[in-house]
Amino acid sequence: MDFKTIFENNCAWIAQKTESDPSYFEKLAKGQNPEILYIGCSDSRVTAEDLMGMQPGEVFIHRNVANLVVSTDSNLNAVTQYAVQYLKVKHIVICGHYECGGIKAALHPSDMGQLNSWLQTLRDVYRLHQAELDAITNEQVKFDRLVELNVQEQCMNIIKIDHVQRAWYATGFPRIHGWVFDVRTGRLKDLELKVEELFSEIRGIYDLKPNLT
Ligand code: CO
């Protein structure tokens, strides 16, 4: 990797942006007003804005290994609170991807050091859906399905967060969306999850409404 190239690329990018709009960066500096919080995988093949055709300023982004929503993750919590309470995003997207290394690791238990506790959340997703997953004999199909089920569970996890529920009950937003990016074709797939219906099944356990301030 020639780092000099990166800075040359940056200069070319500035020239390209200002050629069509000379005040591009002036406008960008004024602030951000994204409508979407995107939570995706850190995988280098899954570049958030690129695959959506979005521009700087349009998406608030959080990425981690296997796009997990872990309630004790202070980074995730800070990002979510800021997005919901201050940026007032209308949508939260959890975007997984096929061929995800984190998911693959969760399918094949082994000691991975520091990654063990992180991957445990994925193994919990497997346990929650073990009957369905163990009934799939084709390994690739099973792998793909765990990617999808992980997105579904992380959509559930984001609604469990108090900041999200507070905004949700007050305004009806954010809406939660579960997507999967297929690195094999480049296609972005909406899983069309009925997140509100799914949450209603577990509302008795996770609904904070009576105590929200
Ligand atoms: Co991944």
Side-chain angles (χ1 to χ4, degrees), residues 5 8 12 16 24-25 32 44 46 61-62 69 71 96 98 102 110 127 141 169 173-175 182-183 187 189 193 207:
T5 309
E8 285 166 5
Q16 183 215 328
Y24 182 83
F25 291 102
Q32 57 171 334
S44 62
V46 189
I61 290 175
H62 178 81
V69 176
S71 68
Y98 295 129
S110 67
R127 180 168 55 83
V141 175
Y169 285 123
F173 292 101
R175 297 260 155 78
D182 192 342
V183 292
R187 195 164 296 279
K189 182 164 126 184
L193 299 172
D207 196 341

Side-chain angles (χ1 to χ4, degrees), residues 61-208:
I61 290 175
H62 178 81
R63 290 169 72 180
N64 61 40
V65 171
N67 41 274
L68 297 184
V69 176
V70 177
S71 68
T72 51
D73 179 351
S74 58
N75 185 350
L76 182 277
N77 273 319
V79 166
T80 306
Q81 182 180 356
Y82 189 71
V84 171
Q85 197 175 331
Y86 296 99
L87 296 174
K88 301 188 189 308
V89 295
K90 293 272 193 294
H91 306 274
I92 298 179
V93 168
I94 311 284
C95 187
H97 68 100
Y98 295 129
E99 306 296 331
C100 181
I103 303 283
K104 194 169 201 168
L107 277 169
H108 302 98
S110 67
D111 180 2
M112 297 189 71
Q114 185 70 37
L115 275 164
N116 288 333
S117 67
W118 193 252
L119 293 174
Q120 187 181 301
T121 301
L122 285 167
R123 299 195 205 285
D124 291 343
V125 173
Y126 191 121
R127 180 168 55 83
L128 277 169
H129 299 276
Q130 189 169 11
E132 178 185 342
L133 288 162
D134 283 353
I136 303 171
T137 50
N138 182 300
E139 277 299 312
Q140 185 66 50
V141 175
K142 188 173 174 177
F143 185 4
D144 287 359
R145 187 59 186 145
L146 184 54
V147 167
E148 295 168 1
L149 289 170
N150 178 49
V151 168
Q152 180 178 313
E153 288 304 324
Q154 303 322 313
C155 286
M156 294 293 95
N157 286 345
I158 203 87
I159 306 186
K160 294 172 193 167
I161 295 177
D162 55 350
H163 311 298
V164 177
Q165 288 195 18
R166 202 172 286 117
W168 205 34
Y169 285 123
T171 66
F173 292 101
R175 297 260 155 78
I176 316 293
H177 310 265
W179 297 351
V180 174
F181 175 68
D182 192 342
V183 292
R184 300 166 297 215
T185 62
R187 195 164 296 279
L188 191 58
K189 182 164 126 184
D190 186 346
L191 294 177
E192 294 179 6
L193 299 172
K194 305 252 183 296
V195 177
E196 290 176 24
E197 280 174 33
L198 287 168
F199 184 67
S200 70
E201 291 170 18
I202 56 171
R203 183 163 269 165
I205 303 168
Y206 297 103
D207 196 341
L208 306 175

